[in-house]
Amino acid sequence: MKHSPAVLAAVVCGTLLLTLSPLQAQQTGATAVTFRDSDRPRIGLALSGGSARGFAHVGVLQVLEEAGVPVDAISGTSMGSVVGGLYSSGLSTDELRDVAAKVDWDRMFSDAPDRRNLPIERKVEQGRTVFGLPIIDGAPRLPSGIVQGQRITQLLTGLTWRVHPVRDFHDLPVPFVAVATDAETGEAVVLDHGFLADAIRASLAIPSVFAPVEIDGRYLIDGGIVRNLPTPEVRALGAEIVICSDVTKPLATADSLQTLVDILTQTMAFRTVERRDVDAELCDVMIQPDIHGLNSSDFGAAEEIIARGRAAAESALGELEGLGITGLRSPRPESDQSPLTELARVSEVRVEGLERSSEASVRRSLGLDIPAEVGVRDVSEAVSRVYDTGMFQRVSYRLDPAPNGSDQILTVRVKDRGRSWVGGSYRYEGRYKASILATAAVRNLLLRGSTLLADVRLGEQTHVSAEIQKRFGWNVAPLVGLKAGYKRSPFDLYEDGKRVAEPHAKVGHIGAFLGLGLGYSTAVGAVIKFEGVESDDAELVEDWSGEDRTYFTLAGVVKVDTRDRLAFPRSGVQILGKTEWGDGALADGGGGFSQHLLDVDAAVPLSSAVSLRGRAVVGTSDGADLPSQYLFFIGGANPFYLYPDRQFSFVGQRVMESRGRHLQMLNLGLQWELAPNLFVLARWNTAALPEEWRFDTDDFITGVGGGVGLNSRIGFARLMVTGGSNADALRFELDLGFLF
């Protein structure tokens, strides 16, 4: 058909604006496409940035499809590049809606692996620090972004799985360009070729939140800084009619500028809005979803935001009909298969970017038996295993066509500088008051592929330790470690419910572990340890003796940890099985002794909000020369970490109020997550600590407790009210901070 005068006028104006625009984006290999003769005008869609508000673009696409409006080219900035890039790669609007509504976007702003996916030797690193700084070139530095973007990169790579081989974005099912900003020059950079997931990731690299992305030697950040509405770019793709979906936040009014943050945000928005107003002149149809009351972080409101996008697009149907571009195409047919279920035949694995780590260790951690048919989840889990080792700052992947044309080559790309870090933490609880922790994890320091953990805890309980560990692969793999430490801690000694002494024990040790790591959750092996102890005497307490001695111990150990988090776990189990023999004769430290322990602590979800908590502990000791600090202690509502295999929390008793050579204990409780990270707690426990091993119901004491808990990124808080069969009154116990 012939072009209408309105269309021709829009085309001429658009061409002039593109030619005269002083801030036109720098092209990376893209050239303007001349208009072609066809039966209809070529239609382009420009999608703005706006973080969570960008989900409105999904609703706009839904309405355009339903109205039969063909989309021949798409440009996107930031979240607009996510929606536009995924749609251009072949995802349907229903799949886009699922991505917006079902992905846990809050997790995308964290690089921390799920705790249960960490190798067991690394679980101790997570969930006990309030802050951490990366160690770069041997010194702590501020990072280039709060997160490197590991999770968001893996998400985008998986969602674009079916178009990995496409290097020219003009060859996608819908031609596409993303817009980013050069962090060095401030220029807009058009990304029209390369690896699609990297281009999208660069376009949404929000400054100070996500680290920049290096592409072709340039460090790229969020394109919204200089081009939040990328209309010139879609015109350059040959669009004769441009539909714009714009969720740019307008400048705030004077009466709403009340705080320093308000002023700073307004100042940063001046250039964005000014540039958007210029680029909006290239739009033939402007769709502006209602973003009133929406914040850039409202990812949980995806369905509402999509609905607002639909409403705005439906209001623009009259303009679209006036241009004669509705009813020209049937809605895109649904794909027979989601990209997350498609399989690829992989014949070879290549590893790129290695500097300090060995290729063999990467391949062992991948755990893929190639050649084989693999899917997105298979590869994503394999890449996560490599990342979870902590030896790499980033791990990504892509599929490349194999020479035979039918198979694929899996290329794994690593940034081979281990995630070394230094951090700090705090804790306050009723008995030992305030404590602070300085901790560090250093990769590849002494051995390639090794981790050195160092802790310094200061307070009434003092702890200094250093441990180096190395795992040789994934699944069933040798695991070795060497640890040295020093502890100084008071021991509360009670008689008939009254504290009669508070001796201090100073314990130094050096030990080695040799065993096997079994997948993520289990380790089995042997520990040989040399320990020296110096403790005060307690004349009024028969079972405590001051001593200055050294001894060797040999222990067989089984550890299992599948808990989803350290504080208030919803699900998972922690098991410690240990059998230990000690002898002081070789070091002139007395005779022999032994101790055996089985500790099972489980959380079982009864519903999405309620978990059943249970713990059973059985321990026994033997030998006249058992060191005093090897006695089992119970008491206090909060867990102990200085001697976690000999000191146990127990509601209804004061901290360390009861002790004995043997222990039988059972805890049962309920944990109800009343609101996200807000918990109501209930607990019952019973225990016996006989001096001679026996099971007699008359030996048991009981306790009950209830309270509330709060978990947050700056620590947890737990307030418990407890009582028990031996308690003379109700007690209130407060615990704040982190568990260390």
Side-chain angles (χ1 to χ4, degrees), residues 227-239:
R227 173 83 26 86
N228 203 47
L229 184 62
T231 49
E233 288 70 33
V234 77
R235 287 283 187 191
L237 287 175

Side-chain angles (χ1 to χ4, degrees), residues 526-538:
V527 177
I528 184 170
K529 181 175 63 175
F530 176 79
E531 193 163 78
V533 59
E534 178 183 335
S535 63
D536 301 332
D537 197 5

Side-chain angles (χ1 to χ4, degrees), residues 153 157 191 195-203 213-215 396 413:
T153 299
T157 304
L191 300 171
F195 188 57
L196 180 59
D198 287 348
I200 297 173
R201 164 71 178 83
S203 180
V213 176
E214 183 179 1
I215 296 179
S396 59
R413 300 174 292 171

Side-chain angles (χ1 to χ4, degrees), residues 271-599:
R271 185 183 180 190
T272 298
V273 174
E274 179 183 13
R275 182 66 240 176
R276 188 281 313 271
D277 291 343
V278 172
D279 292 330
E281 296 178 9
L282 296 180
C283 300
D284 296 292
V285 178
M286 173 63 78
I287 300 174
Q288 289 184 297
D290 176 18
I291 61 173
H292 178 73
L294 294 174
N295 294 318
S296 59
S297 59
D298 285 340
F299 294 98
E303 294 286 6
E304 178 188 349
I305 297 172
I306 291 172
R308 294 193 188 190
R310 285 191 60 91
E314 289 167 351
S315 297
L317 285 176
E319 291 183 72
L320 298 172
E321 291 170 356
L323 292 173
I325 58 175
T326 59
L328 299 178
R329 179 173 295 174
S330 299
R332 179 191 289 191
E334 292 291 335
S335 173
D336 295 334
Q337 196 171 32
S338 166
L340 297 182
T341 61
E342 290 182 358
L343 298 178
R345 174 73 183 179
V346 175
S347 59
E348 181 184 351
V349 175
R350 296 176 181 173
V351 182
E352 297 179 350
L354 290 170
E355 297 177 7
R356 305 180 182 183
S357 299
S358 69
E359 184 171 334
S361 66
V362 174
R363 290 180 179 273
R364 284 195 298 265
S365 296
L366 282 170
L368 294 174
D369 188 11
I370 300 298
E373 285 194 340
V374 297
V376 172
R377 289 184 175 87
D378 301 322
V379 178
S380 184
E381 289 174 0
V383 167
S384 293
R385 285 194 291 270
V386 178
Y387 179 75
D388 291 348
T389 65
M391 299 300 162
F392 307 98
Q393 289 184 5
R394 285 196 300 271
V395 184
S396 59
Y397 70 94
R398 67 174 185 265
L399 292 175
D400 298 309
N404 63 15
S406 59
D407 291 348
Q408 302 285 330
I409 297 172
L410 175 63
T411 301
V412 178
R413 300 174 292 171
V414 301
K415 187 169 183 180
D416 193 6
R417 292 181 178 271
R419 298 197 309 280
S420 299
W421 56 271
V422 59
S425 191
Y426 72 96
R427 185 175 182 187
Y428 174 88
E429 46 93 13
R431 171 61 185 92
Y432 295 114
K433 308 306 180 187
S435 300
I436 60 173
L437 175 73
T439 183
V442 183
R443 319 294 181 193
N444 301 307
L445 182 63
L446 301 178
L447 296 171
R448 191 165 65 175
S450 68
T451 296
L452 175 66
L453 297 175
D455 279 355
V456 178
R457 171 178 173 155
L458 301 177
E460 192 170 354
Q461 294 177 314
T462 301
H463 182 200
V464 179
S465 69
E467 177 180 8
I468 187 169
Q469 53 190 224
K470 179 174 172 61
R471 176 189 283 242
F472 296 85
W474 178 77
N475 204 1
V476 180
L479 179 62
V480 298
L482 181 66
K483 184 175 183 178
Y486 168 83
K487 300 177 182 180
R488 180 183 183 277
S489 176
F491 284 79
D492 293 327
L493 301 180
Y494 286 80
E495 295 289 349
D496 298 325
K498 296 181 179 180
R499 190 168 68 181
V500 296
E502 188 189 37
H504 285 71
K506 304 173 185 177
V507 181
H509 74 272
I510 182 169
F513 174 84
L514 177 62
L516 293 175
L518 308 178
Y520 290 122
S521 62
T522 305
V524 298
V527 177
I528 184 170
K529 181 175 63 175
F530 176 79
E531 193 163 78
V533 59
E534 178 183 335
S535 63
D536 301 332
D537 197 5
E539 297 180 357
L540 300 178
V541 182
E542 293 184 1
D543 59 355
W544 181 277
S545 60
E547 51 193 348
D548 185 355
R549 59 185 293 199
T550 55
Y551 45 86
F552 293 93
T553 66
L554 176 64
V557 177
V558 177
K559 293 182 178 180
V560 179
D561 191 344
T562 66
R563 295 175 298 174
D564 59 345
R565 56 191 182 193
L566 188 59
F568 309 110
R570 298 186 187 95
S571 63
V573 63
Q574 182 182 41
I575 300 174
L576 172 63
K578 184 181 73 170
T579 182
E580 184 174 16
W581 295 269
D583 196 322
L586 295 178
D588 195 24
F593 61 91
S594 65
Q595 189 169 80
H596 316 284
L597 175 74
L598 178 60
D599 181 359

Side-chain angles (χ1 to χ4, degrees), residues 703-722:
V704 295
V708 294
L710 176 67
N711 204 17
S712 74
R713 294 182 179 180
I714 60 172
F716 78 94
R718 176 168 41 206
L719 177 63
M720 296 287 290
V721 182
T722 68

